[in-house]
Amino acid sequence: MGVNMAEGELENQNTQKIQGNQNAQGNPGNQNADSGAKVWAAAGENVRRNLEAALFMSSRSMGLPELAKIVGVSAPGFVESELRALQKEYDERGSAVEIANEDGGYYMRVRSEYASKASVLAKGPDISRGGLKVLAFVSKNDGIEQSKLVKSLGSTVYEYVHELLEKGFITRAKKGRTMALRTTPKFKEYFA
């Protein structure tokens, strides 16, 4: 019983200290609202910087679910609003880099008005000869079934498709009993 009394007295003393601090600092309601807004702003800033880092490091476009997973946020809508804020930052400061969104995927690229000057610094895509052959075939027949590609070019296609998937030049999606192959925005950026 003595322990419960001591705990109760300690709780009363802590409550009085908190109330005294709030009264000394002014209106506690506004202070809590201000600190809550600061916490959300800081969280958004942190997510934005992590999104910026992810987009900078990635060699391919990424959708909202993937970006949300990378930055550790379970709400794709929040990630999308932070991406828009990041795009606005780049636009407002007149950056030579922009965050593009094509076909539901986000990626960083050099703005077209600066690309010609900077392209001399870009390293080639380093794709094998067979990979280039497969990539050319896929680009001419966007959405081609992998089985048809194998019939046309032979069974070594699987190795080259894997290479192109890893480098982000094509995507593969289930289509019946086979896979459909398509080029990505990265392909268009490199070979436009």
Side-chain angles (χ1 to χ4, degrees):
M1 188 167 184
V3 172
N4 287 341
M5 177 99 86
E7 287 176 5
E9 288 175 12
L10 184 59
E11 188 175 321
N12 283 339
Q13 288 174 356
N14 287 338
T15 302
Q16 290 172 355
K17 285 180 186 177
I18 291 170
Q19 288 173 346
N21 287 340
Q22 288 175 345
N23 289 336
Q25 293 173 356
N27 186 347
N30 287 343
Q31 183 181 1
N32 289 340
D34 288 346
S35 64
K38 288 177 184 174
V39 168
W40 277 108
E45 179 69 23
N46 187 38
V47 168
R48 228 173 322 185
R49 294 305 144 230
N50 283 315
L51 286 169
E52 184 177 28
L55 292 170
F56 180 78
M57 292 301 293
S58 179
S59 61
R60 60 182 175 78
S61 67
M62 294 181 285
L64 287 174
E66 184 179 10
L67 285 166
K69 186 176 180 181
I70 289 169
V71 299
V73 174
S74 60
F78 180 68
V79 171
E80 185 175 26
S81 70
E82 292 306 313
L83 279 167
R84 287 190 182 135
L86 192 56
Q87 285 173 317
K88 187 177 176 185
E89 278 181 30
Y90 277 73
D91 290 343
E92 286 176 351
R93 73 173 187 235
S95 175
V97 176
E98 68 181 339
I99 296 170
N101 177 9
E102 291 180 16
D103 302 325
Y106 291 86
Y107 62 99
M108 280 186 158
R109 68 178 176 200
V110 175
R111 292 185 193 273
S112 58
E113 60 266 29
Y114 303 107
S116 63
K117 298 277 186 195
S119 65
V120 297
L121 300 172
K123 183 181 174 190
D126 197 32
I127 301 173
S128 67
R129 260 198 141 112
L132 283 172
K133 186 176 181 181
V134 169
L135 188 57
F137 205 92
V138 171
S139 71
K140 285 183 183 177
N141 306 288
D142 211 23
I144 188 170
E145 294 174 359
Q146 188 168 308
S147 57
K148 289 182 181 177
L149 192 63
V150 170
K151 285 178 186 173
S152 298
L153 301 176
S155 63
T156 57
V157 162
Y158 295 112
E159 176 186 335
Y160 299 125
V161 165
H162 182 71
E163 173 190 354
L164 295 171
L165 285 167
E166 276 186 354
K167 293 185 178 179
F169 288 110
I170 63 171
T171 60
R172 182 169 60 181
K174 190 105 173 107
K175 183 177 180 183
R177 299 176 99 183
T178 187
M179 301 291 229
L181 304 172
R182 297 189 184 284
T183 57
T184 63
K186 181 180 178 179
F187 165 79
K188 294 170 189 161
E189 185 181 325
Y190 267 87
F191 299 103

